[in-house]
Amino acid sequence: MTKLTKSELINFVPNDLSLLEYQIEGVLSLLQIDDSAILADEMGLGKTPQAFIYANAINAERIVIICPASLRINLQHEFLKWSLSKIQPLVLISGRQQVQVPDHSKPYCIIAGYDIIRTKLKNRIKELHPDLLILDEAHSLKSPKSKRAKFFMNELWPQAKRVLALTGTPVPNSVMDGYNLFSKFYDFGNYFQFGNTYAYKRPNHFSKRNGGPGYEFYGFKNLPQLRSIMKPHMVRRFKKDVTDLPDKIHQSIPLDIKGFEDTLD
């Protein structure tokens, strides 16, 4: 836990930039959470600047940023914009690279797509030891059985001193979509125990034919209880509740399109 006042936090914002009031409050709230946290502000509230000011405030020198492949270049731009650290090397991993794992005893920042780091660095992951792991669009890890989710939750997450999960939609369709991420912060029991508490059940004959329980979970229930459990681990605001939201900002996002193989990251 890192406690800072509002005036102290300003020291971790680059001189030519500024955060909005609700973003300052968001970073201060994240800093009061032990170790890992979820920043689940609604889309459009600027989670990325908050994440990098948070990294500045905890003095993270070894950072791994995982994101959808199409956002790598934009996150590199945002990192260079908001970070106070002159971190070298800054490694942007693409499908065509032969990756050189940075010396984990020195500062580094790796930015990579979800699938490419799982395939390129799978056997080197224990060498990284990041101070901070940032998982952008963390709801993409919602399926407990997927290879992607197992890798990031069970192999990469434990290597990091802190994890910051970014998602504007922590439960995109059903409360069950949040189980995998929420379980990193609280012991809900297994998938079925979580489902019996926070979702409804309906028959699913396909599941029964394939050796499953014969039902599926859907919808939401007991949400006040779930919100109470997750509140100490999560910062979430909605646009309708933010009073200092500026006018819509149009931003150019550069894309590095050099070959078809990049689309496979």
Side-chain angles (χ1 to χ4, degrees), residues 43 57 233:
M43 184 177 66
H233 313 287

Side-chain angles (χ1 to χ4, degrees), residues 35-48:
D35 302 323
S36 301
I38 303 172
L39 177 55
D41 282 351
E42 187 179 11
M43 184 177 66
L45 292 182
K47 292 184 287 295
T48 301

Side-chain angles (χ1 to χ4, degrees), residues 206-262:
F206 178 81
S207 169
K208 189 172 184 179
R209 287 199 305 269
N210 287 274
Y215 60 85
E216 64 181 358
F217 293 112
Y218 74 99
F220 307 79
K221 69 179 182 182
N222 297 327
L223 283 187
Q225 177 186 344
L226 181 59
R227 291 192 186 104
S228 177
I229 291 173
M230 292 306 302
K231 186 176 181 179
H233 313 287
M234 180 188 294
V235 174
R236 181 160 173 78
R237 281 82 55 85
F238 298 92
K239 289 180 182 178
K240 64 181 179 63
D241 300 321
V242 174
T243 58
D244 57 332
L245 191 66
D247 294 335
K248 184 180 293 185
I249 298 173
H250 295 274
Q251 180 180 5
S252 297
I253 300 178
L255 297 176
D256 182 17
I257 303 176
K258 295 182 179 178
F260 174 75
E261 61 271 21
D262 276 354

Side-chain angles (χ1 to χ4, degrees), residues 9-69:
L9 182 65
I10 300 302
N11 295 325
F12 295 98
V13 180
N15 290 332
D16 56 335
L17 298 171
S18 62
L19 293 178
L20 296 169
E21 188 69 21
Y22 74 88
Q23 293 176 316
I24 293 173
E25 293 172 358
V27 178
L28 291 175
S29 296
L30 289 172
L31 292 170
Q32 294 178 28
I33 298 175
D34 288 333
D35 302 323
S36 301
I38 303 172
L39 177 55
D41 282 351
E42 187 179 11
M43 184 177 66
L45 292 182
K47 292 184 287 295
T48 301
Q50 294 179 72
F52 291 145
I53 299 305
Y54 173 82
N56 293 342
I58 64 171
N59 297 312
E61 293 189 330
R62 289 168 288 275
I63 303 170
V64 176
I65 303 168
I66 310 299
C67 61

Side-chain angles (χ1 to χ4, degrees), residues 131-178:
D131 297 327
L132 177 63
L133 169 63
I134 297 176
L135 297 173
D136 193 22
E137 306 292 345
H139 53 270
S140 65
L141 301 175
K142 64 184 181 181
S143 175
K145 294 183 179 180
S146 71
K147 291 181 179 179
R148 170 191 282 191
K150 288 179 180 179
F151 172 75
F152 285 100
M153 295 300 193
N154 301 333
E155 296 187 49
L156 185 54
W157 189 303
Q159 299 301 323
K161 291 182 181 178
R162 296 187 188 217
V163 179
L164 182 59
L166 309 180
T167 172
T169 53
V171 286
N173 302 300
S174 162
V175 71
M176 301 308 297
D177 291 342

